[in-house]
Amino acid sequence: MVGFLDRLRALGVDERIVQAERDGWIPLAARSPERVAQWVARKQERIADPEFAEFYVALSAALECGDDPQLVEPADRVAAYVTKLADERGEEYVGDPAGIEPVLAELMDRLVFDTVPSARRLIELLKQRGWAGWTTLRRVDPAPAAPAPTAPRPPRPGTRPSSSGGPICPP
């Protein structure tokens, strides 16, 4: 795991993300020590993939960002990447680490979301693209995008605008 964390630092990933990764491994190791070597090997394999590494770099760049414009492109790239990975290797490979109880996955997700607030919005955007979860990623039906705001309707003839912006009908 130390090698993985060092690789994140070498990529220039923000230290808060590195710490969230490190802190997430503590409950994993405590709960399932026999599986840690397998999970770390998978992380090492993935971080060697430039597309996966770019995800961490993009998340790091968007760390302070809460608005969609800076998160949309990383969400698009991550969704395309995990879809390709799931199609090539199977969804169980993407849903790493396998065998984590839902309550532990929830705890780990909260740790990431508290440490890296933009991760929560990134996950919302991923859900719109067919993927849900952070610790245990899974394919879902894409969430519908928020409806586009509608333009205000022009006032009806014989009305005048009010200070609140809505029409006032004449007496």
Side-chain angles (χ1 to χ4, degrees):
M1 179 46 35
V2 171
F4 177 76
L5 298 175
D6 287 344
R7 177 73 178 124
L8 291 178
R9 287 183 181 104
L11 290 168
V13 172
D14 188 281
E15 191 61 28
R16 289 172 285 184
I17 294 172
V18 175
Q19 293 303 314
E21 275 285 338
R22 186 204 66 197
D23 293 350
W25 282 91
I26 294 169
L28 277 178
R31 183 72 177 143
S32 301
E34 72 284 357
R35 301 199 66 187
V36 170
Q38 171 193 5
W39 292 332
V40 170
R42 186 175 291 181
K43 279 281 200 176
Q44 291 284 12
E45 178 185 339
R46 287 184 179 173
I47 200 68
D49 182 335
E51 286 182 90
F52 185 74
E54 179 57 33
F55 162 71
Y56 278 96
V57 173
L59 183 59
S60 187
L63 190 61
E64 299 301 331
C65 168
D67 61 342
D68 286 358
Q70 287 185 307
L71 293 173
V72 169
E73 184 182 343
D76 288 342
R77 286 197 322 249
V78 168
Y81 173 73
V82 296
T83 299
K84 180 181 91 171
L85 200 59
D87 291 346
E88 291 172 357
R89 298 224 169 159
E91 290 187 33
E92 65 282 349
Y93 182 81
V94 172
D96 165 75
I100 292 182
E101 299 93 3
V103 71
L104 183 56
E106 219 176 282
L107 172 72
M108 293 173 63
D109 286 358
R110 276 195 309 255
L111 169 72
V112 171
F113 297 149
D114 289 348
T115 307
V116 185
S118 58
R120 185 179 304 278
R121 182 61 186 140
L122 183 62
I123 288 301
E124 290 171 5
L125 292 168
L126 282 174
K127 193 167 188 177
Q128 294 172 6
R129 289 151 179 79
W131 292 95
W134 185 271
T135 302
T136 54
L137 194 60
R138 67 196 177 285
R139 200 182 300 244
V140 295
D141 287 332
T150 57
R153 298 163 98 188
R156 293 188 320 241
T159 62
R160 65 179 195 274
S162 73
S163 60
S164 67
I168 296 179
C169 295

